[in-house]
Amino acid sequence: MKKVFSWTNFELKFLKSIIRSELTPQDCRPRFVGDQKEMLIPFMDRIAKEPYKFFVETYKSEIIENFLKDSEYLRAVMRELESNHYSNAKVGAMEDMLELIRRFDFRVDRVNMAVRRQLLHAGRNYSDDMEDEETSLFSTPVTIDLLESTPSEVPLYDFQREATDALEKHFVENNENAGILVMPTGSGKTRVATRFMIESMVARGWQVLWLAHRSMLIEQAANATYQFAGGLLPSVAPHKKQFKFVCVSGKHATMKYVEAKDDVIIGTVQSIIASDNLEYLRNGLQDNVFIVVDEAHHTSAPSYRKVIDAVKAKAKRVKLMGLTATPIRMGMGETARLMKIFDNNIIYSVAMSKLIASGQLSRPNYISVDTEIDFETKIGLDEKKYIQKWGELAPKTLQRMADIKERNALIVDTFMKDREKYGKTLMFALNGVHCMALCDELRKRGVSCDYIYSLHQGNAEKINKFLRGDIDVLVNIQVLTEGSDIPDIQTVFLTRPTSSDTLLMQMIGRGMRGVQCGGTETVNVVDFHDVWGKFNQWLNPQFLLEEEAAEDAEVVVHEYQKPNLVPWQMYKDILDAMHTKYANANEGLLNLILPTGWYEVIDEDGNDAKILVFDSQVEEYAYLIKHLSSLPLKYTGNEALYEYFDGFGLLPEAHDLQMLLYTYRIDQKQPVFHKFEEREEIDASVVAKRLIDEKITVAGVDKFIKEIYDANPEIIKSIYGGLSAYSEKVKLFALYPNGEKPLGMRIEEIPPEILPYDATPYYDLQQLVNEVVAERFDNAYGEVPEVLWTQKRYTSFYGQYNYAVDGQKPFIRINSILNSKDIPREVVKYVIYHELLHRDNHAHNRAFRMEEHKYPDWAFHDQFLDVTFNQFDIVRDYAM
């Protein structure tokens, strides 16, 4: 998609204010400023082709008074800053917002980015319907002023608090070095991990290196880090004055921005190991480093091991934490290797069944829809090879699927037939074209709908509309698989085949926020199946795990064979239900699988656990419970599975039945079964609404809650733990609709440091050349070309080797902007060394870089030239 920015879209008064500004160089001002906009555009382009960062900083007053004032652009800027808890930003009356924006520092990246976003939006034209990718809020390092930021409690749900307590005990109290945190998708792994790393590790002086494999995961971690650092550190680490973190990926900063003063480094492994970036990482490490691997099943890949080994070789102390929805990966042998990396420690694990039973996650209604479209006979040999290599469909195959009108019509018809039941629906499409096609068809049918297909400009507002309920359906590809908090999604449509259990659970997880977390009681998961023969592994998450194309090892997807079952504790209840397509050959398709309740049991370690029971299992479980007293002591879960469950439909796991038997032998009474209908009667949010509707007085609240508890003690203990915790939760729901205290923080950022620059000539250039020739070439360079300072200062290059032309001898020019006492001597010598190398190699190829990197501390000098140098006043002036 081609995008074009133009100043022609702006009002004349704004353009005039920029051109007439005292800050605008004389050669960028026309002799006469008239009222013809077309005559001013060339001068605006000379000032800045687009509203770059320096442009926004320089023309703050003009932007506020002639662009933001009395406009929706100001409201959009303030909405973005408020959502990120920046300072005291708040959407309100226009006069109040103007007063705030005038006080904000436009050098602060978050403020600058919010303003730039609106300028770009106002001046951008598109060649088609599709929009461009938006710039990340974390594209440059962020520094938070902890002295000015407001401390705030960061609320956690009960199981999240259990997880952070377990991490604290493991890494801090017991001083362990490694372990894995296991939490289902949708349960807040990132929320737990970022709170722990800020509150317990950074506060104690540890530097955090957060590793992920996709830039979208970087964004998710960065958002949580930004908010948690500003909210937690002022109270738990009062000695810290600043908090600095940097994100590294193809959409964020480069490794050259990493510094040893960074508290947190969040990056994709691909970017960290690319080229010579590990050297920049080594320079940016502190003595104590806490490594977090997001989606820990990637840790055994060579790329991850390379980064971890580099950190261990440099830092004095290293701890390693993995985050995952399941520690299982590609067979038991690989699992053993993975667990060995984490010292065989699973620090905390919570079963999805427990979260569903307690209402933290929604109950899933799985609805399977067969398209009856045979794709395998339509794809070419190259597409089949792609599937065999990567285990995913090729882009051209996805496009072919997206173009089939009958398939798209079936998707739309399925929604329209049960529109009221499906409610707020999130659809996962095949690609960008498919997003638009489905959205267009839904709009034609009168559905309020929109689409997002990448991290493009305008997504935030579309997501906010979906969040507010202004649109009923949002179609996307994978934008909302990670980190998007839309609690009241009622339905998820899966229209794309995938062999990735991680991707599948991320898609499903977007709709699984339960009532205890401000979400829904149930979530409909509508799953579209096509006809495949050999490549029939699609959407079979029970047996196939994700293997990204960016991984080091090549992945081969073989014709499907069912391996031995692996006991995935947190997936067993949901994923086992997926694709149980036939109850038997005669009964046909089983379209709906719905959990109906749970049993309270004890696991082999003596911990409380829950077994989720589905509709088709109720009678079999009841029959087994009835005969518990007559079963022999050595009777096993496997025996119960084969004797009491007939083998049709969805079967429980033998491990669950073993826990049921164990619980009976310990308690000598039948395990308690709770129906979801029982939970609804005592649900904290429901009871809180009754408090309000029945106008219970403050004095009568505790009595009212106690009466409900006394009538339902077992199920309340099962879900909430006891009367005290239950009472607290009811009161929270009465005060706050989501059952948690809102974040009340205010985050103040520190703008990038501006370094003083002394333009007085400082260095004897010939002396520096002689030192380089003596030290780096042992005075054996041969005939040294003449080396001269440039007459003018430039910002576009540091040096240039000019080869012999028409009998003229070669010579070297060194940018006179380096001739200052504020530029380290070795940095200037490094530039000279670089240019001298060009005598024998014209290109910046691998051979050249190998020679260049023989210079001592080359990475430091590179970093100074590419990062630190841009902070000097002289550079900022020239950049305009």
Side-chain angles (χ1 to χ4, degrees), residues 68-83:
L68 295 177
K69 188 176 181 180
D70 299 325
S71 76
E72 283 302 308
Y73 294 121
L74 175 57
R75 191 174 301 278
V77 168
M78 205 59 65
R79 185 185 298 118
E80 179 175 320
L81 295 176
E82 182 182 18
S83 68

Side-chain angles (χ1 to χ4, degrees), residues 5-6 9-10 67 73 117-125:
F5 178 88
S6 174
N9 297 346
F10 291 83
F67 175 71
Y73 294 121
R117 201 183 304 283
Q118 296 310 311
L119 286 166
L120 288 168
H121 182 68
R124 188 158 291 167
N125 299 315

Side-chain angles (χ1 to χ4, degrees), residues 103-164:
R103 294 207 305 263
F104 289 162
D105 192 334
F106 276 29
R107 293 174 301 164
V108 173
D109 284 338
R110 193 158 298 267
V111 179
N112 192 286
M113 186 75 73
V115 175
R116 285 167 61 198
R117 201 183 304 283
Q118 296 310 311
L119 286 166
L120 288 168
H121 182 68
R124 188 158 291 167
N125 299 315
Y126 297 90
S127 59
D128 53 38
D129 291 345
M130 300 171 71
E131 301 182 44
D132 67 309
E133 292 189 357
E134 67 181 6
T135 305
S136 168
L137 293 171
F138 307 103
S139 58
T140 56
V142 175
T143 304
I144 296 175
D145 187 341
L146 297 177
L147 297 180
E148 295 297 327
S149 297
T150 304
S152 174
E153 178 186 358
V154 179
L156 296 176
Y157 298 112
D158 295 341
F159 68 94
Q160 293 173 337
R161 193 174 297 111
E162 291 174 3
T164 55

Side-chain angles (χ1 to χ4, degrees), residues 251 280 369 412 439 680:
K251 297 179 181 178
Y280 298 116
V369 179
V412 174
C439 188
E680 292 164 9

